[in-house]
Amino acid sequence: MGPPGCNGGPVTVASHETLTAFERHLRLERGRSANTVRAYVRDIGAFLDAADVRDDADLAAVGLADLRAWLGTVSRRGVARATIARTSASLRTFFRWCENTGRVPVDPSLRLSAPRRHRTLPGVLAQRSATALLDVAALAADDADPVHLRDRAALELMYASGIRVGELVGLDVDDVDLHSRVLRVVGKGDKERRVPFGVPAGEAVTRWLDAGRPALVTAASGPALLLGRRGRRADARQIREVVHRLLAEVPDAPDLGPHGLRHSAATHLLEGGADLRMVQELLGHSSLATTQIYTHVSVDRLKRSFAQAHPRA
């Protein structure tokens, strides 16, 4: 039996019905993203198959020892700690739902724990490197190639607002208020938020809308803000390639993707004195703890600067 994500035997009809109901709960009631729903359902399907759960009676007989044994099996397969942590979260979510819906009398996962994920500090650009990257994008856009105009608008928006690349490519033209310089962003769990952006990003988007998008738009474009050369909505892969390509032209800059621009925007906001909760709202984090990782980046830089500059360091 493979760990979550590997191929296993088929689950029974009864288990399949339970999984279908659980998938519906995650998608419709919890508002989880499509990727999260797929991962959780895959995790639970693998567990039910390995535990030979065939009906609700088998499900009710599952105990904490069974869950711990399954996590041990997954761990021995050599998967990443993050995968083990996610599997544990899948089991807890599933059995809490089973208890709430009367499928089990008691949630056996209440005392289930998993190894904590290593929280690594995100890679970020120095402010001068971020400025240099946007200068490179602006210089490339001087040739008036519509795709280069799009690339500049994309980078300016990502750095100005800290939005995810998936949120960026999901923007429609009407989601951009150029007068107020505010984006309407639909993030994880279909949660909507308003995110401001600055004058340079507004100028880049205006130029794209005036001179770039009209040159690429086709009947297949729909309302998409950013387009590819064939007129269809740009995808995350295209924007990721742009970020890597243009960053390669910035001396001493790390090779970061779009998420690196998001990290950089958050870090530079905090370094500039922005309130942590304001940054949380801008980034669309559901938990303040997720945003707090950027304070570690800022403090780390502050300590390095202190060590270099203070005579008593």
Side-chain angles (χ1 to χ4, degrees), residues 47-48 51 53 57-67 95 104 106-108:
F47 169 74
L48 294 178
V53 173
D58 291 339
L59 194 61
V62 171
L64 179 61
D66 299 309
L67 303 183
F95 280 100
V104 299
V106 178
D107 178 1

Side-chain angles (χ1 to χ4, degrees), residues 65-117:
D66 299 309
L67 303 183
R68 286 175 172 168
W70 176 242
L71 288 184
T73 298
V74 174
S75 178
R76 286 191 294 274
R77 301 282 179 163
V79 301
R81 289 168 65 97
T83 299
I84 302 171
R86 191 203 66 217
T87 304
S88 178
S90 302
L91 291 169
R92 289 194 300 271
T93 301
F94 175 70
F95 280 100
R96 183 165 58 247
W97 170 77
C98 285
E99 183 183 37
N100 291 339
T101 56
R103 287 175 167 82
V104 299
V106 178
D107 178 1
S109 71
L110 289 176
R111 291 188 291 122
L112 183 66
S113 60
R116 299 188 67 171
R117 296 176 63 167

